Amino acid sequence: MASFIGAMAIADLVKTTLGPKGMDKILQSTGRGHSVTVTNDGATILKSLHIDNPAAKVLVDISKVQDDEVGDGTTSVVVLAGELLREAEKLVNSKIHPMTIIAGYRMAAEAARNALLEKVMDNKQDADKFKEDLLKIAMTTLSSKILSQDKEHFATLAVDAVMRLKGSTNLESIQIIKKPGGSLKDSFLDEGFILDKKIGVGQPKRIENAKILVANTAMDTDKVKIYGARVRVDSMAKVADIEGAEKEKMREKVQKIINHGINCFVNRQLIYNFPEELFADAGVLAIEHADFDGIERLALVTGGEIASTFDNPESVKLGHCRLIEEIMIGEDKLIHFSGVEMGQACTIVLRGASPHMLDEAERSLHDALCVLSQTVNDSRVLLGGGWPEMVMAKAVDELARRTPGKRSHAIEAFSRALVAIPTTIADNAGLDSAEMIAQLRAEHQREESSAGIDVISGSVGNMVELGISESFKVKQAVLLSATEAAEMILRVDEIITCAPRQREDRM
């Protein structure tokens, strides 16, 4: 039973973050610096827990997978799995064999999935309607996050960014830059690519029709580094000679780079004053210390490749963009590349009161972007607000009535676990969940009902009118992952702690 208890404790921990009125958690690290994170993203909370209980670790893993796979629904998956285990525990106590429970759960999950498949809406053909669906999904995803106050604004940002991807799920080309200052409303979407760097001294501040060479190479060898080098000379003049030789080497290297016919050179490492001077004289814009994510993304976006040797210019692939210029955001200067090779590239600049706020805003926006990019590929949409769970629970209940034998108990338990999600949403909003769920259940007995929980007015509302939608892919992933995780923990009858590996005596 220990495994059940651990897993249920984890589920109860994240339960309060579910739904539009869910609360956030502060994560305080025990390491040096005691860094603080404020979040309500299930995966982020669970990733940072120290857990000894093996069953609880299974739940942490499913939330991670959910995060990697579809990006949202990380809390729902854990809550559902926890509820399935809670129901299973009652069944095990009343002497039903775990394998029977698993068989019942499997049948129930299949029935639930089919019930959803019958109810999905797909507006792929109609572009305007589809965009509306995407906006609704983005707003629903964001409404349980920190961005819920300005969700229209951010939903539009996210949808615009994802529409530019034209169906690829590679979110690499959407860059998110966080700049403290201003309010969340000041965030905006910018076409092209912004590199968080300043342009060096005495360099051209604006370049049109840029040919960009992206490199990762050392440009800091024009002085003799005294430390760690032993150079024996018999006079200072010799040292000057050595420095001169180093300078010559550098000059040759710079010349080789300029021979590529470029007018912008981006380097991952430092560029010393001397080569910077040489570049400035040649009218080449040199940018140093571009961080690695930035530089890889820049190479991807401008269609170039990262080079580290410059002997044969014909084999190096250069990047291109129409215009490079310096822009100001808040207090900082940044470099803006517009008209890049990859048309879908864009940058979302987030503004906000504090770094914590920005980190959480970035996580929320990332969830929305993931869900949208998945929905663009798999355009099936469901209503939200506890509606899918009620639809599934109804189908599962009907299956339980038709199923003979002990499995029907397990199937019934599955439907109770599904109803736990709308129950939790109602509880978190401070509503009377028993009353709400009873009303919902009655509503759902009617054909084609679209009733769900309206947390704003605190009653049962029509999800179509409220425009609360979710992506089918997310719901399906939640259902299947939670069932499989619960099944995995149910199969365990004993937790055996292994002794550590014995070290051989080498002496």
Side-chain angles (χ1 to χ4, degrees):
M1 282 303 157
S3 58
F4 286 138
I5 293 161
M8 288 189 287
I10 291 283
D12 288 342
L13 174 77
V14 292
K15 211 180 207 176
T16 51
T17 66
L18 189 72
K21 291 272 171 80
M23 306 306 273
D24 292 9
K25 308 266 183 231
I26 288 189
L27 311 173
Q28 190 175 13
S29 86
T30 47
R32 279 165 58 198
H34 293 283
S35 61
V36 170
T37 315
V38 183
T39 179
N40 73 355
D41 178 37
T44 310
I45 296 170
L46 294 177
K47 253 198 300 235
S48 34
L49 292 179
H50 281 290
I51 299 173
D52 292 341
N53 186 309
K57 285 206 169 109
V58 174
L59 291 196
V60 175
D61 287 344
I62 57 167
S63 82
K64 273 189 196 154
V65 169
Q66 180 79 8
D67 198 31
D68 299 341
E69 195 59 30
V70 283
D72 195 23
T74 44
T75 314
S76 321
V77 106
V78 178
V79 172
L80 183 55
E83 287 301 325
L84 286 171
L85 289 173
R86 183 165 292 146
E87 293 294 338
E89 187 186 22
K90 293 175 196 160
L91 294 174
V92 171
N93 286 340
S94 57
K95 297 283 179 285
I96 293 180
H97 192 277
M99 283 302 157
T100 317
I101 302 176
I102 289 173
Y105 276 8
R106 285 225 163 148
M107 289 165 67
E110 193 53 40
R113 186 165 168 264
N114 293 339
L116 282 188
L117 280 171
E118 280 168 26
K119 301 268 183 168
V120 291
M121 297 167 288
D122 193 342
N123 289 332
K124 187 98 194 217
Q125 270 39 57
D126 185 343
D128 296 341
K129 264 196 182 152
F130 185 49
K131 192 163 181 190
E132 221 167 90
D133 279 351
L134 286 181
L135 270 172
K136 283 179 188 168
I137 288 177
M139 278 173 13
T140 307
T141 301
L142 291 173
S143 64
S144 61
K145 307 267 193 289
I146 195 165
L147 301 176
S148 57
Q149 271 29 52
D150 315 309
K151 60 182 178 192
E152 282 89 3
H153 181 63
F154 283 102
T156 323
L157 279 189
V159 171
D160 287 348
V162 171
M163 287 303 237
R164 295 176 64 103
L165 289 180
K166 306 197 178 44
S168 94
T169 47
N170 181 10
L171 295 177
E172 280 288 295
S173 47
I174 299 179
Q175 187 197 16
I176 299 180
I177 286 186
K178 298 175 289 198
K179 284 280 164 224
S183 71
L184 279 170
K185 273 209 170 54
D186 301 340
S187 310
F188 61 91
L189 176 83
D190 197 309
E191 319 209 331
F193 184 85
I194 297 179
L195 195 61
D196 197 350
K197 287 286 160 247
K198 294 187 179 62
I199 291 183
V201 183
Q203 313 246 341
K205 296 281 186 215
R206 178 191 163 97
I207 288 186
E208 292 186 4
N209 293 331
K211 296 188 184 63
I212 308 163
L213 176 64
V214 184
N216 183 5
T217 180
M219 302 294 282
D220 52 359
T221 49
D222 57 338
K223 298 184 181 69
V224 173
K225 297 193 182 66
I226 301 300
Y227 301 104
R230 266 180 80 176
V231 185
R232 285 202 175 156
V233 288
D234 42 22
S235 74
M236 269 319 277
K238 292 277 171 63
V239 178
D241 288 349
I242 295 174
E243 293 227 316
E246 289 279 332
K247 271 199 149 142
E248 266 316 301
K249 248 167 63 182
M250 195 74 239
R251 179 169 284 145
E252 276 175 29
K253 185 169 185 179
V254 171
Q255 200 42 56
K256 273 184 191 166
I257 291 174
I258 294 172
N259 287 346
H260 285 62
I262 55 170
N263 49 13
C264 173
F265 175 68
V266 184
N267 193 19
R268 161 111 201 283
Q269 301 174 24
L270 270 172
I271 302 180
Y272 266 11
N273 314 13
F274 177 61
E276 194 163 49
E277 241 173 83
L278 295 178
F279 280 127
D281 293 346
V284 172
L285 167 63
I287 303 169
E288 62 175 7
H289 251 199
D291 53 335
F292 206 72
D293 286 351
I295 190 170
E296 292 223 312
R297 202 174 267 156
L298 182 66
L300 173 88
V301 164
T302 54
E305 278 166 11
I306 299 179
S308 49
T309 55
F310 310 101
D311 289 334
N312 25 0
E314 60 282 347
S315 64
V316 174
K317 205 170 158 200
L318 296 182
H320 295 284
C321 82
R322 211 173 48 240
L323 175 68
I324 300 179
E325 57 189 343
E326 195 171 56
I327 56 170
M328 290 281 289
I329 296 179
E331 302 294 300
D332 301 338
K333 291 183 174 169
L334 304 141
I335 308 172
H336 182 225
F337 296 77
S338 48
V340 289
E341 195 84 2
M342 224 169 139
Q344 59 244 52
C346 57
T347 302
I348 295 176
V349 180
L350 290 177
R351 308 297 309 273
S354 71
H356 294 148
M357 185 102 172
L358 285 173
D359 288 345
E360 177 61 0
E362 181 188 24
R363 276 191 290 273
S364 314
L365 198 60
H366 180 257
D367 279 6
L369 290 172
C370 287
V371 174
L372 289 174
S373 67
Q374 295 287 348
T375 314
V376 170
N377 283 347
D378 181 348
S379 56
R380 291 174 291 186
V381 179
L382 295 162
L383 297 174
W387 177 86
E389 283 78 15
M390 295 311 286
V391 169
M392 293 193 277
K394 183 181 167 193
V396 173
D397 271 340
E398 281 164 11
L399 175 71
R401 291 198 201 100
R402 293 198 305 270
T403 308
K406 281 186 183 171
R407 276 183 305 188
S408 64
H409 294 296
I411 298 174
E412 244 169 65
F414 194 92
S415 116
R416 282 198 296 276
L418 282 171
V419 174
I421 288 189
T423 312
T424 311
I425 293 178
D427 280 338
N428 287 348
L431 308 170
D432 178 356
S433 57
E435 171 70 14
M436 295 284 293
I437 299 303
Q439 283 185 8
L440 263 182
R441 193 163 258 158
E443 282 289 320
H444 273 267
Q445 287 311 313
R446 299 208 321 272
E447 281 301 302
E448 299 303 315
S449 161
S450 55
I453 298 174
D454 177 5
V455 267
I456 311 302
S457 69
S459 59
V460 172
N462 183 339
M463 295 291 114
V464 178
E465 284 165 22
L466 291 169
I468 298 178
S469 303
E470 294 189 54
S471 163
F472 167 73
K473 197 156 183 185
V474 175
K475 273 288 169 240
Q476 173 176 298
V478 166
L479 177 72
L480 302 180
S481 303
T483 313
E484 282 173 12
E487 185 180 314
M488 179 143 187
I489 295 170
L490 266 175
R491 281 176 182 273
V492 176
D493 69 333
E494 203 167 334
I495 295 175
I496 301 168
T497 313
C498 303
R501 195 163 57 103
Q502 294 295 317
R503 301 226 160 167
E504 295 140 22
D505 230 9
R506 292 269 172 84
M507 300 304 282

